[in-house]
Amino acid sequence: MTRLGLDRLVQGIAGLVFGLGLVVSGMIDPAKVLNFLDFAGTWDPSLAFVMAGAVAIAFVGFRVAGGRARPILAERFHWPVSRAVDPRVIVGPAVFGIGWGLSGFCPGPAVAALGLLAPGTFVFVGAMLIGMAIARALTAPRVPQDQSHPVAGTRP
Amino acid sequence: MVTTAFTPVSSLLGGALIGLSAAILIVFNGRIAGISGIVSRLLPPYRGDDVAGKALFTIGLVAAPLLVEAAGFRVVQTVSGSFGLLAVAGLLVGIGTVVGNGCTSGHGVCGLARLSPRSLVATLVFMAAAAATVFVTRHVVGG
C-alpha cells in the first residue's frame, strides 16, 4: 500500500476508534448528553468523565506530535490556523450550543448514530449538513485553510 | 424526559478511546480530530484538502456502533424532540460549528488538550449556551 493509502486507512481506523469511544462512553445517546446539561434537574455527570479521559489521552498525543518534525504518515501537521479569540469564536459556539442544548446532538454522536436508524437522527444530520454548507459558502476563511503554513512544523 | 444512569467508569474509558483517536490522527496523519471540521469538508467548496481521508474517517465513525451491535451488544439511544425541533437544532449546530471552527471534539477535546485559549473560550461558550438552553426548555417553558 502507498503511503497516501496508509494515511487514509489510518484516518478510517481513527474514525472507528472515535465511534467506539462514543458508544462505550454513552455519548451516542442524546438523552445522556441532555442530562449532563440539565444541572437543575436529572443531572448525569458522565460527560465530564468522557471529557477528562479524552483530554488526558489527547494531551499525550499532542505532546508526542509537538516533538516531531512531521507526522508518521503525512508530509506536515495541519495545525489550526486561527488563534485569535475573535467574535467568530464567541458567536459560533453560542449558536452551536443552543442547537446542542435543543437536541442533545453534537456533530460526532449525530453522525455516528446514523446507522442506528432513528428517524430523528436523519432529520438532525440533514439539517446540520445544510447549515454547514450555508456557513461554508458564506464564510470564506481569511487565510486559505491548507496553504497558509506550508512548513507548519511549529506548534501554535 | 429520560433519566440516565451515571456511568463514571465506562464514560472515562470511552473518553480515553476518543482521546486515543485524536492522538492517532495527530501523530500519524497530522490532523485534528474535529468532527465538524471533518464532516463539513466533505461538502463543497473544496479547498484542496484530502476528502478521501475524511470520508474514510466518517465511514469508520458510522461503522463503530454497527460493529458493537453485530458483536451482540445493544447500543442504547433515545432521540427525542419533534422533527421540527431537530431540524432547527441541526441547522444551528451546522452553522455554529463552521462559524466557530469547531465543536465538542475540535475545541472541547483537541483544543483543550492543546491548551488553546481560543478553544477554551469556545468550549465555555457552547457549554454555557447549551446548559442555558436546556434550563429554558426543561424548567421555564417545558416544565
Side-chain angles (χ1 to χ4, degrees), chain A:
Chain A
M1 185 179 276
T2 62
R3 188 136 153 274
L4 178 61
L6 206 55
D7 176 14
R8 288 171 172 165
L9 178 70
V10 171
Q11 290 186 61
I13 291 169
L16 187 66
V17 173
F18 198 106
L20 290 175
L22 289 173
V23 173
V24 171
S25 66
M27 292 303 110
I28 200 159
D29 183 2
K32 214 163 158 56
V33 174
L34 286 175
N35 282 340
F36 171 77
L37 296 168
D38 190 6
F39 295 94
T42 49
W43 194 47
D44 174 358
S46 301
L47 191 146
F49 285 71
V50 181
M51 290 294 291
V55 170
I57 303 294
F59 178 78
V60 177
F62 283 104
R63 287 303 290 261
V64 171
R68 295 182 58 92
R70 47 184 277 185
I72 293 170
L73 295 174
E75 296 303 319
R76 64 182 187 86
F77 288 105
H78 297 250
W79 296 114
V81 282
S82 309
R83 297 179 59 194
V85 179
D86 55 15
R88 273 183 69 161
V89 85
I90 310 276
V91 175
V95 171
F96 159 47
I98 294 169
W100 190 32
L102 287 175
S103 61
F105 267 142
C106 54
V111 171
L114 283 172
L116 300 175
L117 305 179
T121 307
F122 289 93
V123 173
F124 179 91
V125 173
M128 181 183 83
L129 293 175
I130 292 169
M132 285 175 167
I134 292 170
R136 267 170 72 72
L138 296 181
T139 60
R142 284 155 301 178
V143 192
Q145 206 65 36
D146 274 318
Q147 287 84 42
S148 52
H149 290 179
V151 249
T154 51
R155 267 177 68 86

